[in-house]
Amino acid sequence: MEARTRVKIQPDEACCSICLEIFQEPVFIHCGHSFCRSCITRTWEGRTTNFSCPQCRETTAHKTLRPNWELANVIEAAKRLNLQPVKEVEGGENLCEEHQETLKLFCKDDKRLLCVVCDRSKVHRDHSVVPVGEAAQEYKVRGVMGVLRHKGPEAPAVGAVDGTEAAKQEIVRTYRKMHEFLEKQESSLLAQLEQLDTEIRKAHEEILQRLLEETRRLGTLIGEMERTYQQPDWQLLKVRAQAFQAGVPTGSECWEGREKALFPPQIAAMSLTLSPPPAQMTLDPQTANARLYLSEDCKIVQLEDCEQVLPLNPRRFTLMPCVLGSRGFTSGWHRWDVEVHREGAWAIGVAKESLPRNRLLCLKPNEGVWALGHIQNEYVALTPPYNTRLTLRSVPKWIRICLDYGKGRVVFFDAKSKERIFAFPPASFQGERVFPWFMVIRVAQLKLLP
């Protein structure tokens, strides 16, 4: 059985020092002082740290409330003595000498009996005044506690001895039950830990076996790639061009699932960016918002404050600062490069031809837009339901967009480092034509590269 905690109880602490009443459900805190549970809970209400003792001001970072069973049993023993408030004595000796009123109140500060008139006088206005019966009950309880604590020379009452003995037996029974409960908990937790240790060992063995298998497979794939890329450039590109024209899946298409799990982004970028040459396209001025200004060769777009006077066109974006590319696609592999100038907000990607032009858009795949952008000083992919924040090794200034219409793939790369930035999950374009899509906000400038 664990050693009992030493509780700091002063001779005048029969009552809670917060409410000044007899303890109700006493608990002691980190410093050892005891209070009513409700009193100390109200005192610490709203705090998450720096819990200070109202009596000694000792502070701790964590709240600690432990039941003070000994004090509670002593209080209960005192109550079982059947203490009753002192009845008022009839006659002149229970009257106030000054006001001739019945002495029904007791001043704790001056330790004297008062009448109602005395209580309202200036002398006792700010004092702690309680009814006579309540004060008598409190002092009798304190007296019993003093006898039980100090065991004075005079023998305590028979009821007090019986109450104390019952309290001791109750404490012993409580601690025995706690000890039995803790032993059962210990056995149960040890069994759970042993089972968990066995499961962890088994999981480690399975993971090690999978790693060995993946290592062997990766070695095989690396060997295949080394043999492939040792061919002359002209021969490699010739074979891939013939396969692409014949509709035969290329190496990157065959390895797409495996490279996602095993290959680093640089190898995946190499396999994807070797497919068809860049699409020859410009920006379509018929779709540009009136605040978007295009260069003469329709390669550069930027946003200005004043709107241009442009002919009405149902293909033009009227509310969003967007513009489409001049070419749309309904099949095959395509790629194009965009250079980002200046700091600002922008987004690039692909969009369905049916994308609404005359209202605000929800720039997500379910609306018909697959894009990434620089928004609020962060690079994000415009994914549902919330944008995906992108963690990049370096800030890309030259971005390559790759479109595989047949498989519904839209992938973004850093065109200089060849690192993959983001790949959208496969989607179905349902035979609808899709276009390169651009949006410019604030001072950014986008440029289509040849």
Side-chain angles (χ1 to χ4, degrees):
M1 185 180 298
E2 299 178 354
R4 299 181 182 177
T5 304
R6 186 177 299 277
V7 182
K8 299 179 181 177
I9 301 180
Q10 303 300 327
D12 58 347
E13 284 188 341
C15 297
C16 173
S17 61
I18 297 178
C19 64
L20 303 179
E21 301 291 341
I22 297 176
F23 283 107
Q24 298 293 329
E25 194 179 355
V27 296
F28 57 81
I29 60 175
H30 56 275
C31 63
H33 285 120
S34 297
F35 304 94
C36 298
R37 179 181 291 276
S38 58
C39 293
I40 192 62
T41 301
R42 284 195 303 271
T43 302
W44 286 348
E45 185 175 2
R47 296 189 181 184
T48 58
T49 186
N50 294 332
F51 297 95
S52 175
C53 172
Q55 191 164 335
C56 68
R57 303 302 178 187
E58 182 178 332
T59 303
T60 183
H62 303 285
K63 179 168 69 175
T64 303
L65 296 178
R66 288 182 290 177
N68 191 338
W69 299 114
E70 295 182 354
L71 180 57
N73 290 330
V74 171
I75 293 294
E76 187 64 26
K79 290 181 179 180
R80 285 201 292 268
L81 293 179
N82 197 23
L83 300 176
Q84 299 295 334
V86 177
K87 294 185 179 180
E88 298 175 358
V89 180
E90 298 294 339
E93 62 182 14
N94 196 32
L95 297 178
C96 176
E97 296 180 358
E98 182 177 356
H99 303 106
Q100 296 301 310
E101 294 289 338
T102 304
L103 298 173
K104 296 182 178 181
L105 304 173
F106 181 76
C107 177
K108 290 186 176 181
D109 297 305
D110 293 343
K111 302 294 189 295
R112 56 170 294 185
L113 295 171
L114 304 176
C115 66
V116 177
V117 180
C118 294
D119 179 35
R120 296 187 179 182
S121 64
K122 292 183 179 180
V123 178
H124 302 282
R125 181 176 299 170
D126 298 327
H127 290 182
S128 177
V129 178
V130 297
V132 169
E134 184 176 331
Q137 178 77 4
E138 179 179 330
Y139 276 93
K140 287 187 176 184
V141 170
R142 290 186 181 182
V144 172
M145 288 183 64
V147 171
L148 295 176
R149 186 184 302 112
H150 301 293
K151 297 182 180 180
E154 297 183 1
V158 175
V161 174
D162 294 342
T164 304
E165 186 63 29
K168 289 181 179 178
Q169 294 177 2
E170 182 65 25
I171 290 172
V172 171
R173 284 194 299 269
T174 300
Y175 274 99
R176 283 179 179 172
K177 290 180 180 179
M178 290 176 62
H179 188 65
E180 293 174 358
F181 172 76
L182 291 175
E183 286 182 342
K184 292 180 180 178
Q185 286 292 104
E186 180 184 10
S187 301
S188 175
L189 291 175
L190 288 176
Q192 293 178 17
L193 286 174
E194 185 175 353
Q195 182 180 0
L196 181 61
D197 184 60
T198 303
E199 293 176 356
I200 290 175
R201 286 201 190 99
K202 184 178 179 181
H204 283 174
E205 293 175 357
E206 293 177 354
I207 292 173
L208 180 59
Q209 185 64 29
R210 285 202 300 269
L211 286 175
L212 292 175
E213 293 176 359
E214 296 294 346
T215 301
R216 287 193 293 268
R217 185 190 306 179
L218 182 57
T220 303
L221 292 175
I222 290 175
E224 293 177 7
M225 292 191 65
E226 287 178 349
R227 289 190 295 272
T228 300
Y229 288 104
Q230 284 173 359
Q231 300 177 19
D233 294 343
W234 64 269
Q235 184 177 356
L236 175 64
L237 294 177
K238 181 179 179 181
V239 171
R240 291 181 63 86
Q242 292 174 352
F244 178 76
Q245 293 174 0
V248 178
T250 63
S252 61
E253 296 172 358
C254 295
W255 292 350
E256 181 178 352
R258 289 182 289 179
E259 66 88 16
K260 184 177 180 181
L262 300 177
F263 288 5
Q266 293 87 345
I267 298 178
M270 186 183 302
S271 64
L272 285 172
T273 54
L274 282 175
S275 56
Q280 299 299 320
M281 75 172 68
T282 59
L283 301 172
D284 184 1
Q286 300 296 319
T287 63
N289 180 274
R291 293 178 59 194
L292 293 182
Y293 285 72
L294 307 184
S295 61
E296 291 185 4
D297 60 357
C298 291
K299 293 284 189 178
I300 301 175
V301 58
Q302 62 186 37
L303 181 71
E304 300 292 345
D305 293 333
C306 58
E307 291 189 357
Q308 306 171 82
V309 179
L310 300 175
L312 295 177
N313 188 338
R315 297 172 56 205
R316 191 181 307 282
F317 290 93
T318 57
L319 292 180
M320 301 287 287
C322 304
V323 61
L324 297 179
S326 59
R327 289 186 58 191
F329 309 103
T330 57
S331 63
W333 278 70
H334 309 276
R335 65 181 174 93
W336 57 95
D337 297 341
V338 180
E339 188 174 2
V340 181
H341 290 274
R342 306 178 190 170
E343 292 296 329
W346 51 266
I348 56 177
V350 300
K352 288 185 175 181
E353 187 176 18
S354 61
L355 187 68
R357 315 297 171 88
N358 58 354
R359 63 176 175 85
L360 295 176
L361 302 175
C362 177
L363 303 178
K364 307 291 182 184
N366 53 4
E367 183 85 15
V369 177
W370 291 261
L372 64 78
H374 183 255
I375 300 174
Q376 295 181 349
N377 296 322
E378 291 183 343
Y379 283 86
V380 296
L382 307 183
T383 57
Y386 305 106
N387 293 338
T388 300
R389 182 183 299 177
L390 302 177
T391 302
L392 306 176
R393 295 184 181 180
S394 60
V395 177
K397 294 297 184 182
W398 182 11
I399 300 176
R400 175 163 297 169
I401 300 99
C402 296
L403 168 67
D404 180 359
Y405 189 96
K407 292 191 175 183
R409 295 290 305 275
V410 180
V411 187
F412 298 84
F413 294 90
D414 185 329
K416 291 187 176 181
S417 67
K418 301 298 186 294
E419 292 185 4
R420 185 168 63 181
I421 300 175
F422 186 78
F424 278 92
S428 174
F429 300 125
Q430 300 176 344
E432 184 177 347
R433 188 180 302 274
V434 296
F435 288 82
W437 175 86
F438 309 84
M439 183 177 71
V440 182
I441 305 174
R442 300 213 309 262
V443 297
Q445 184 184 91
L446 301 177
K447 179 181 180 181
L448 269 173
L449 297 177

